[in-house]
Structure formats: C-alpha cells, structure tokens
Amino acid sequence: MTTKTLAFHSSRGGTGKTVIATNLATIWANKGLKIALLDLDFRAPSLAGAFSKAIKKQPKYWLNDFISGRCKIEQTLIDVSSTYRLKGKLYLGLANPSIEAIRSTMDKSRAWEVSAVKRLFSMRKTLFKEMNIDYIILDTSPGLQYSSINAVVSSDISIIVTTNDEVDLKGSENLIENLYLELDKKPVVLINKVLPETQLHTNKTEKELINKIENQLKSPIIAAILCYCDVLQAKRTSILAIEKPNHAFVKNLETIAKTLFLTNKLNFEE
Ligand SMILES: Nc1ncnc2c1ncn2[C@@H]1O[C@H](COP(=O)(O)OP(=O)(O)OP(=O)(O)O)[C@@H](O)[C@H]1O
Ligand SMILES: [Mg+2]
C-alpha cells in the first residue's frame, strides 16, 4: 500500500475538522493500520483535550519542539493504542496548549515558517520510512495561518471541511481560489453539519446538494454528513468511533475512510 498524508482544513472555524480527523484516525487504527495524528493547530490546539483520557502525563516534547528543531519527531509521539484497545497503532503528536506556546507561535517570523515546512517534509520521511506509518493525518487551523498552509503544502490530499452555510461556502470558495489554485493543489471537500431539514440521504436532495456545492467550489465532494445533535453535545473527550461505533456519524466516516483508502490505491492525486 502506498502511504499518504491527509490534511483537514477549512475556511472558518468549527466546521468539524478535529472531530472528523480524530474519528477517522481511530477508525483506521482500529482496522489494524498505523496512524500518526498530528495537531498542527498551534493557535488553538485541541488533540490534547480530545485524547486527555489516554494522556497520563504532559509530553516531554511537543510538535512545537519538533518544528523548532529541538527534538526528533519520534520523541513527540504518544502511543494511545492500548488505552482504546485498537487493533493497529495510533500515535499522537500534540501542539502545546499553553498560553506562552501559543503566543510564541504567533510571534514566529516568516523565515521560521519556511523552515517549518522543511521539517514537515523530513517528518514524513521518518514516519513513513522508519516507523512504517500508513497514514499521517494533520489537523489544522482554519484559514490562511502559516501552519495550515504548511500542512496543505506537505499533504498529498487536503480535505476542506465546510458546512452548507452560505458564508462558509463563500469562504471555502475564496480559500480554494486564493490558496489552493496558487499552490496548484486540488482539494477534496467534505460537507459537514448538513441540517436534517434537507432530508439528506432520504431522497434526491443529497445529490442536488452535492452537485450544487461541487459546481460552486469546482472541487470533488467526498461526502455530506448530517448535523447530529448528540455529536454537537458530546463531550470533547468522547471519541464516538470508540464509544458509539454504530452511530450514523461514525458509519459516514467509515465510508469516507474506505473511499480514501481506495482512491489512495488508484493514485487519486494524479
Ligand atoms: N456532523 C456533526 N454534527 C453535529 N455536530 C458536529 C458534527 N461535526 C462536528 N460537530 C461538532 O462541532 C463542534 C466543532 O467541531 P470541531 O472542533 O471538530 O471543529 P473544528 O473545525 O476542528 O474547529 P476549529 O476550527 O475551532 O479547530 C464540536 O462540538 C463537534 O462535536
Ligand atoms: Mg479543530
């Protein structure tokens, strides 16, 4: 199997990147794959919170340290596979959530960000070649933060998570035009939090919605996921793929995992 790096990105905040990245990583790891899930959202780190049940003590090194050249990528990784009894492996690389670390990220120069992208490319090599990781999943900040651009640049497939909201869609359109086209990257789009009133999955509305957004964003749509009240209300520390494996949200992500796995095999990028 070829190995791949996926980045979850969005134009606006709160579209579901972290929840989707977290559950997808867990689903794949539970199928026996080796996954590295990395928090590149240095301004609002969230993976430390999502996996707090498995993180017994503060890591010695954060991804911030790796990007700054203070440690090797292997030294940042936390293996959470046994806590969640996963069949494969799930390694986490966390962004430092302390105020000082967030401030320090904001003060970084453009030169630092350019060196950061080089570190990300060397990281890919280490994870794939030395640790035999199957997929690297990058969770990013919304918009045009440097760390997100770096994630997009160093990924094979970038998935823009958008809602069906007009403002989000316009933002995604701008993001694709102003960033992805400039970088000559073709993103795929995941529509999330579709309101149940659209009766998604029950009639031809789903196709219409997908066609409409595909035309607007001129990008392939990988899936449309409904807005589920219980997902919205769930604790940030609960991973649905573990706690409610039969939930429709998880089933949607399993289909997406399969599609990505197959498109990966077919060399989707080309
Ligand atoms: N399909 C869905 N149905 C209902 N709630 C959802 C769905 N997807 C995500 N959510 C909820 O939306 C909220 C925001 O999700 P999440 O934190 O993953 O977004 P994000 O894109 O990572 O945000 P940020 O840009 O701030 O990092 C969470 O409470 C999450 O549980
Ligand atoms: Mg997030």
Side-chain angles (χ1 to χ4, degrees):
M1 193 186 88
T2 46
T3 43
K4 286 285 172 188
T5 308
L6 269 67
F8 282 95
H9 192 203
S10 67
S11 134
R12 304 201 332 142
T15 57
K17 297 178 292 299
T18 300
V19 166
I20 291 171
T22 299
N23 281 283
L24 180 70
T26 310
I27 288 168
W28 266 335
N30 215 12
K31 294 222 182 296
L33 297 179
K34 267 182 139 179
I35 307 296
L37 173 61
L38 310 178
D39 197 344
L40 290 191
D41 192 348
F42 294 110
R43 293 190 171 214
S46 43
L47 291 185
F51 286 91
S52 58
K53 281 182 192 164
I55 303 165
K56 305 284 180 265
K57 58 178 187 343
Q58 184 161 310
K60 186 166 177 212
Y61 293 108
W62 305 92
L63 277 181
N64 314 50
D65 297 310
F66 166 72
I67 299 284
S68 295
R70 289 191 288 270
C71 69
K72 293 181 177 173
I73 187 65
E74 300 94 306
Q75 293 174 292
T76 67
L77 298 180
I78 305 169
D79 182 354
V80 297
S81 327
S82 61
T83 309
Y84 299 104
R85 300 197 177 149
L86 302 172
K87 289 197 191 95
K89 287 280 182 198
L90 177 54
Y91 298 101
L92 299 181
L94 302 178
N96 188 339
S98 74
I99 296 289
E100 303 81 62
I102 293 170
R103 276 216 192 104
S104 139
T105 303
M106 288 158 117
D107 292 341
K108 293 286 189 250
S109 66
R110 190 180 279 229
W112 183 87
E113 296 291 355
V114 171
S115 79
V117 84
K118 288 191 193 144
R119 299 282 292 164
L120 288 177
F121 274 102
S122 89
M123 172 197 83
R124 279 174 46 143
K125 219 161 147 195
T126 310
L127 294 182
F128 290 144
K129 298 258 159 66
E130 290 171 29
M131 288 187 67
N132 294 319
I133 293 288
D134 292 303
Y135 283 98
I136 300 173
I137 301 179
L138 307 173
D139 186 20
T140 72
S141 320
L144 296 169
Q145 308 288 347
Y146 268 118
S147 60
S148 306
I149 298 175
N150 286 345
V152 171
V153 169
S154 56
S155 65
D156 301 301
I157 302 176
S158 196
I159 301 174
I160 296 181
V161 183
T162 183
T163 71
N164 184 24
D165 174 89
E166 246 176 61
V167 180
D168 275 359
L169 284 174
K170 192 67 206 158
S172 303
E173 197 182 329
N174 289 338
L175 190 66
I176 292 168
E177 269 181 30
N178 297 318
L179 177 67
Y180 286 81
L181 286 185
E182 291 295 318
L183 294 174
D184 202 21
K185 283 257 178 192
K186 292 190 190 95
V188 290
V189 172
L190 200 168
I191 313 161
N192 190 27
K193 298 188 176 179
V194 178
L195 294 178
E197 288 81 48
T198 58
Q199 297 193 326
L200 195 70
H201 306 307
T202 58
N203 56 22
K204 65 181 172 96
T205 324
E206 180 179 9
K207 261 214 168 96
E208 282 172 5
L209 178 79
I210 288 178
N211 284 342
K212 181 188 122 230
I213 297 181
E214 212 156 41
N215 284 335
Q216 182 178 353
L217 302 184
K218 299 180 190 72
S219 305
I221 311 292
I222 191 163
I225 303 180
L226 278 175
C227 188
Y228 300 99
C229 289
D230 52 346
V231 176
L232 201 57
Q233 287 162 352
K235 282 194 196 133
R236 296 283 174 150
T237 52
S238 90
I239 298 170
L240 276 178
I242 303 282
E243 292 175 19
K244 291 187 185 169
N246 292 320
H247 194 290
F249 180 75
V250 178
K251 293 287 165 204
N252 273 294
L253 290 180
E254 280 177 357
T255 308
I256 292 169
K258 213 180 266 172
T259 309
L260 285 168
F261 186 78
L262 292 174
T263 47
N264 176 2
K265 281 189 159 177
L266 295 172
N267 258 333
F268 182 78
E269 278 284 288
E270 281 90 51

